[in-house]
Amino acid sequence: MTAIEPSAEARQLAEPLLQRLAALGIAEKTHWHRPHFTVEESRKDRGEASGHTKNLFLKDKKSRYFLVTVRDDAELDLKGLHRHIGAQGRLSFGSAEKMEALLGVSPGSVTALAALNAKADAIRFVIEEALLASDLVHCHPLTNEATTSLRPADLLSFMRACGHDPLILNVDGTNPL
């Protein structure tokens, strides 16, 4: 992946997050790149490295919100996912407006690191257990113009420091999410 100079807006979005990680003593490496709006765009720039994420901003029939973070190659069964994460009824995608209000990010920049902006009772974070088995987890730092890499344990520590205790989803390989 070729590094580029970030836009002023991207730097401004990421800076509070990077400062919070530093204040918590969490080591990270942030790589600036062209905007990635999809997993496919990211793969074209980085190849098939493990630990990259796919994020789904979802809501249930009671308008409870979930951010589900899985490996970028994970297959998701959206029809059955609600049973694994404690949602009421089938899940649908949350709106861009709600995403901005609850997570402080726009579509294409969704990330588990948005825990920084989310109120503890407004959204439930869900992380796939298999993702946490990677050496590093690679997430957008609140902008899709960069990728921040950190250890899985540090991601969980960060989320807990932000008031979120993510649900670790343990689903065996015969039952895709």
Side-chain angles (χ1 to χ4, degrees):
M1 207 173 344
T2 304
I4 65 166
E5 188 62 33
S7 69
E9 179 184 4
R11 177 71 73 188
Q12 184 177 15
L13 287 169
E15 196 57 36
L17 168 71
L18 299 176
Q19 289 175 359
R20 180 72 186 271
L21 290 169
L24 292 170
I26 294 175
E28 55 78 21
K29 174 100 172 132
T30 297
H31 177 81
W32 297 92
H33 50 68
R34 70 181 178 94
H36 294 157
F37 292 94
T38 65
V39 168
E40 290 75 28
E41 288 176 350
S42 173
R43 282 188 184 143
K44 286 179 185 176
D45 283 350
R46 62 160 165 92
E48 295 293 326
S50 67
H52 286 269
T53 58
K54 173 170 44 180
N55 298 276
L56 299 171
F57 178 64
L58 303 168
K59 73 173 191 167
D60 69 7
K61 72 178 186 177
K62 291 191 174 187
S63 293
R64 293 184 313 163
Y65 288 87
F66 302 82
L67 180 65
V68 178
T69 301
V70 298
R71 293 166 291 124
D72 69 349
D73 62 351
E75 293 186 29
L76 297 171
D77 171 19
L78 288 179
K79 291 180 182 177
L81 182 60
H82 68 282
R83 289 187 295 272
H84 298 287
I85 65 174
Q88 295 295 312
R90 296 270 171 101
L91 295 162
S92 61
F93 289 97
S95 69
E97 294 79 17
K98 270 299 200 185
M99 181 186 299
E100 178 71 36
L102 295 175
L103 297 173
V105 295
S106 59
S109 297
V110 182
T111 174
L113 296 174
L116 176 74
N117 299 328
K119 292 182 182 172
D121 60 348
I123 189 162
R124 180 71 195 257
F125 287 87
V126 179
I127 300 178
E128 178 193 18
E129 184 177 51
L131 175 65
L132 297 175
S134 302
D135 291 335
L136 293 172
V137 176
H138 310 283
C139 305
H140 288 311
L142 309 181
T143 173
N144 64 357
E145 290 185 42
T147 299
T148 295
S149 303
L150 61 161
R151 294 179 342 172
D154 288 337
L155 173 62
L156 294 176
S157 292
F158 168 76
M159 294 179 83
R160 290 178 179 129
C162 292
H164 303 280
D165 189 19
L167 170 65
I168 308 301
L169 196 56
N170 181 7
V171 178
D172 70 30
T174 62
N175 186 11
L177 300 177

